[in-house]
Amino acid sequence: IVEHAHEYPFCSQLASGWDKPWLLYVAALFHDIAKGRGGDHSVLGMAEARRFCKAHGIDAEDTDLIEFLVHEHLTMSRIAQKSDLSDPAVIAAFAKRVGNERKLTALYLLTVADIRGTSPKVWNAWKGKLLEDLYKYTTRALGGRAPDPDAEVEACKREALVMVQLYAMPFEAHKPLWDTLDVGYFMRHEAGDIAWHTKQLSRHVDTKTPIVRARRSPIGEGLQVLVYTQDQTDLFARICGYFDQGGFSILDARIHTSKTNYALDTFQVIMAGGIDEHFRELTAMLETGLANAIAKETPLPNPSRGRVSRRVKSFPIAPRVTLRPDEKAQLWLLSISASDRQGLLYSIARVLARHQIEVQLAKIVTLGERVEDTFLIHGPQLQHNRAQIEIETELLDALAS
């Protein structure tokens, strides 16, 4: 634990206070033991773990925890990486599923170990941040503190205002921008991001030209990119196209439309070779190039065709597309699984733009040679079965090509 404390401080803190490490070891041994047997390996593995516990005289409480961990070992990762963590319903449902803080802590520790142990390529600071956020939100819910969106928004605004004041901006300089933003924006963004947005946009609220700003990501490697422009149907696709051509990979996208119909979008992006060496030149190029790409009303360019790895060629993954209403039946969840390749996200975005589907949230998960992408989307086309089938078919074609 001590040797990894600098890399995983929060996880190490929880692990050092855990009273029975052997429980986690047993769960780790059994969590994937039933892979390849056919059926749900989490359920089959749980049965194996139960037999082991019985044979070795492990008491009922510890057996229950081990069974829970084996059965749920994929749950926390899935929710953190594929759900909207700003939605109180998501947190409440997960809190109900784990039941208590002890199970939550054990599941968090096993999840971090599982992802990190799979491959160094699979883990990144962004995934770590999502898991930590889910843990903290759920701890609060388990403690009986029912989510109060109004109170949380006010607290977030107060924290952001303190940070804005550190930028030495004029009194109430934040108001023109904040007056155009609804509760959803303040729930989905952290105070530090809101303060940065405010600093960059307070004098450009009614701009006619796209504003693009980039900084080092506050969360680990890569860049955080802010885009502010008058909204347009193919905007997400146009931005994805620029990142694709420039060799950037998107980890996360938070899409927001203001009351005045401006898009305020934030992206977490990384580059294969890293950004440290050419940070200044890279950000200057990105800010100018992406703004120009948005301003040009030219047809969307074709996706680039990068080299497919030898492993993907040898072990191709059958693409999967699922479309279903979210928990409130107000938006739709689009889940996509496919072999990773350059231009993949942009190909997806082009299909959505063609059908005038708007993206509200995008979470991009790369697991070695496989991607598991989740989008929160909306648009009138999604109300019609025929259009849904068309969209799913076109997405499958785009993933396979």
Side-chain angles (χ1 to χ4, degrees):
I1 293 167
V2 175
E3 63 266 32
H4 297 294
H6 67 289
E7 192 179 357
Y8 310 106
F10 182 67
C11 187
S12 298
Q13 178 190 337
L14 291 177
S16 64
W18 185 257
D19 59 337
K20 294 182 177 179
W22 65 269
L23 289 172
L24 301 177
Y25 302 157
V26 173
L29 285 170
F30 280 91
H31 81 290
D32 275 347
I33 202 166
K35 266 192 172 177
R37 292 189 191 174
D40 186 336
H41 77 280
S42 299
V43 174
L44 297 172
M46 181 177 68
E48 291 280 355
R50 186 186 302 125
R51 280 193 285 273
F52 175 87
C53 290
K54 188 175 181 181
H56 290 80
I58 296 173
D59 68 38
E61 185 180 337
D62 290 341
T63 297
D64 178 62
L65 180 57
I66 291 168
E67 286 183 29
F68 166 80
L69 292 174
V70 175
H71 185 246
E72 302 289 346
H73 73 272
L74 298 173
T75 302
M76 193 167 191
S77 173
R78 174 177 55 77
I79 291 172
Q81 296 180 54
K82 296 190 175 188
S83 299
D84 182 359
L85 301 187
S86 68
D87 186 346
V90 169
I91 303 302
F94 180 60
K96 186 177 180 182
R97 189 161 181 164
V98 294
N100 60 57
E101 193 171 335
R102 182 168 175 78
K103 284 184 174 179
L104 173 66
T105 300
L107 185 59
Y108 172 76
L109 293 172
L110 179 64
T111 302
V112 172
D114 188 18
I115 298 174
R116 188 62 183 82
T118 302
S119 161
K121 293 180 182 177
V122 173
W123 178 266
N124 58 44
W126 181 246
K127 288 181 186 175
K129 172 74 166 54
L130 292 174
L131 285 169
E132 190 173 321
D133 285 349
L134 178 56
Y135 178 89
K136 289 177 177 176
Y137 297 155
T138 309
T139 303
R140 208 161 54 190
L142 288 169
R145 287 173 58 190
D148 183 346
D150 293 336
E152 287 177 20
V153 165
E154 287 308 310
C156 185
K157 284 182 175 179
R158 284 196 299 272
E159 190 180 344
L161 272 179
V162 171
M163 296 180 184
V164 166
Q165 287 164 5
L166 297 176
Y167 293 135
M169 292 171 63
F171 178 65
E172 294 198 333
H174 65 284
K175 278 187 68 63
L177 176 66
W178 286 23
D179 286 347
T180 71
L181 303 170
D182 61 18
V183 171
Y185 167 83
F186 291 100
M187 288 188 69
R188 190 163 282 160
H189 293 87
E190 295 190 0
D193 295 338
I194 294 168
W196 180 56
H197 293 168
T198 305
K199 178 189 177 187
Q200 302 300 331
L201 302 176
S202 62
R203 291 180 290 112
H204 305 285
V205 175
D206 299 317
T207 181
K208 296 295 184 282
T209 57
I211 303 289
V212 177
R213 298 288 184 266
R215 65 172 179 172
R216 290 183 193 276
S217 174
I219 307 133
E221 68 278 25
L223 295 172
Q224 190 176 52
V225 181
L226 165 66
V227 176
Y228 183 75
T229 184
Q230 290 174 312
D231 200 16
Q232 57 193 69
T233 305
D234 64 358
L235 181 62
F236 181 70
R238 206 166 282 281
I239 294 169
C240 289
Y242 176 83
F243 284 137
D244 174 41
Q245 300 287 329
F248 293 94
S249 296
I250 299 173
L251 294 178
D252 185 84
R254 302 191 180 206
I255 314 298
H256 189 81
T257 306
S258 74
K259 297 173 188 174
T260 51
N261 206 38
Y262 273 76
L264 199 168
D265 303 344
T266 312
F267 297 83
Q268 300 285 341
V269 301
I270 55 173
M271 208 173 190
I275 61 157
D276 288 340
E277 204 173 320
H278 306 290
F279 172 72
R280 290 187 183 281
E281 299 93 323
L282 205 57
T283 51
M285 177 198 76
L286 193 155
E287 289 177 352
T288 305
L290 180 51
N292 289 338
I294 294 168
K296 288 177 185 171
E297 295 186 4
T298 53
L300 293 170
N302 290 323
S304 58
R305 294 295 300 173
R307 287 179 59 193
V308 176
S309 74
R310 191 181 306 165
R311 184 175 172 82
V312 167
K313 283 182 180 175
S314 304
F315 303 100
I317 295 161
R320 280 199 333 269
V321 174
T322 59
L323 188 60
R324 60 182 176 83
D326 73 345
E327 290 170 357
K328 296 177 183 175
Q330 294 173 348
L331 301 169
W332 291 78
L333 280 170
L334 171 64
S335 300
I336 287 174
S337 175
S339 298
D340 192 21
R341 62 170 169 81
Q342 190 177 351
L344 185 69
L345 179 59
Y346 178 44
S347 298
I348 295 166
R350 274 166 54 98
V351 173
L352 298 179
R354 245 192 329 266
H355 289 272
Q356 298 186 312
I357 302 297
E358 292 186 26
V359 176
Q360 186 165 316
L361 187 72
K363 291 197 171 185
I364 315 303
V365 180
T366 305
L367 304 164
E369 309 297 338
R370 187 173 94 251
V371 292
E372 298 276 353
D373 297 347
T374 306
F375 305 87
L376 203 56
I377 59 177
H378 61 94
Q381 296 272 52
L382 295 169
Q383 305 304 320
H384 308 289
N385 286 343
R386 182 178 292 180
Q388 285 181 28
I389 293 167
E390 276 181 32
I391 292 165
E392 290 176 352
T393 303
E394 287 181 32
L395 284 169
L396 285 169
D397 289 343
L399 297 174
S401 61

